[in-house]
Amino acid sequence: FYNPAPQAPAIAVVDSGVDTTKLADFGNRVVASVNFCSTCTNGAVDDEGHGTMVASLAAGTGLYKGVAQNAPIVNLRTSDASGASRTSDVIAAVDWILQNKAKYNIRVANFSLHSANKASFLNDPLDKAVENLWLNGVVVVAAAGNYAVNGQRSGVLYAPGNDPFVITVGAVDLNGDAGTATHTNAPFSAYGYTPDGFAKPDLGAPGRYMIGPVPATSTLA
């Protein structure tokens, strides 16, 4: 018997935008698109390419399929073509999620980004914002960061990945082999302790040589 996957909740992708014209990957599942990038003037499009690829890895249905293939996607753009976001814009996107989570059934928010300044989660404004999501029933997933050097312990130093309330994800290097025996931490993927002494990341996921769609005119392309 075929048992279809249960309907996944909506995933908010706080990133560089999602290319909604990639119908093979997303169909009509991008249910909302909002531009919070205060330095961008062309809406919630994806000039960098990162957000589209992240959304496809989470929920794409194209040639290389994502994990939750029936999940609605909420496209919240905060970063420009170089991948830079203002902290205030990211926090504004968090506030929007809180206000609209019931309308779109948002239960997961993804932040493949980190702040520029080392901080304690006790007083960092971005940490406080994402904790508010967690306290209101939204699972927060954040990148550990790509600032390790040659696989050496770097610590996980920046919000929001430094926060014990979020699921922090590191990049696994598959080394060209599907068997887990050869899998290692990707040499660039941050790991170690946060400034407050928490061991991070919380889990690892494939994160090197990933394949997914990006807009043809984007920076990544």
Side-chain angles (χ1 to χ4, degrees):
F1 294 98
Y2 171 68
N3 294 314
Q7 176 59 54
I11 302 170
V13 179
V14 182
D15 210 292
S16 62
V18 176
D19 184 353
T20 58
T21 69
K22 303 261 182 219
L23 298 180
D25 290 278
F26 306 121
N28 61 356
R29 288 181 298 116
V30 181
V31 295
S33 293
V34 186
N35 179 28
F36 292 96
C37 177
S38 57
T39 62
C40 307
T41 58
N42 56 344
V45 301
D46 186 4
D47 290 332
E48 186 197 16
H50 191 268
T52 300
M53 188 170 187
V54 166
S56 77
L57 295 173
T61 54
L63 181 62
Y64 295 91
K65 301 186 187 306
V67 178
Q69 296 169 33
N70 62 11
I73 299 163
V74 175
N75 166 26
L76 303 180
R77 181 187 186 185
T78 62
S79 63
D80 60 20
S82 68
S85 299
R86 289 180 173 174
T87 302
S88 56
D89 293 342
V90 178
I91 292 174
V94 171
D95 290 341
W96 187 95
I97 295 170
L98 284 170
Q99 295 165 17
N100 293 276
K101 66 184 182 70
K103 179 178 179 180
Y104 296 105
N105 191 30
I106 302 169
R107 297 294 302 276
V108 179
N110 185 85
F111 298 81
S112 293
L113 49 80
H114 65 77
S115 63
N117 299 305
K118 178 180 174 180
S120 166
F121 85 100
L122 296 172
N123 51 30
D124 185 277
L126 182 53
D127 281 318
K128 295 296 102 181
V130 298
E131 286 170 21
N132 205 18
L133 287 178
W134 187 89
L135 292 167
N136 283 277
V138 178
V139 173
V140 177
V141 182
N146 296 336
Y147 47 86
V149 177
N150 296 326
Q152 299 303 303
R153 181 184 295 180
S154 60
V156 178
L157 308 176
Y158 308 103
N162 67 337
D163 199 298
F165 287 85
V166 313
I167 298 174
T168 306
V169 183
V172 173
D173 190 341
L174 304 184
N175 290 310
D177 186 346
T180 57
T182 61
H183 294 179
T184 60
N185 191 63
F188 54 80
S189 189
Y191 74 96
Y193 291 97
T194 73
D196 300 290
F198 295 98
K200 291 280 188 173
D202 301 295
L203 57 86
R208 198 174 194 200
Y209 305 117
M210 304 302 291
I211 301 174
V214 298
T217 59
S218 66
T219 302
L220 285 184

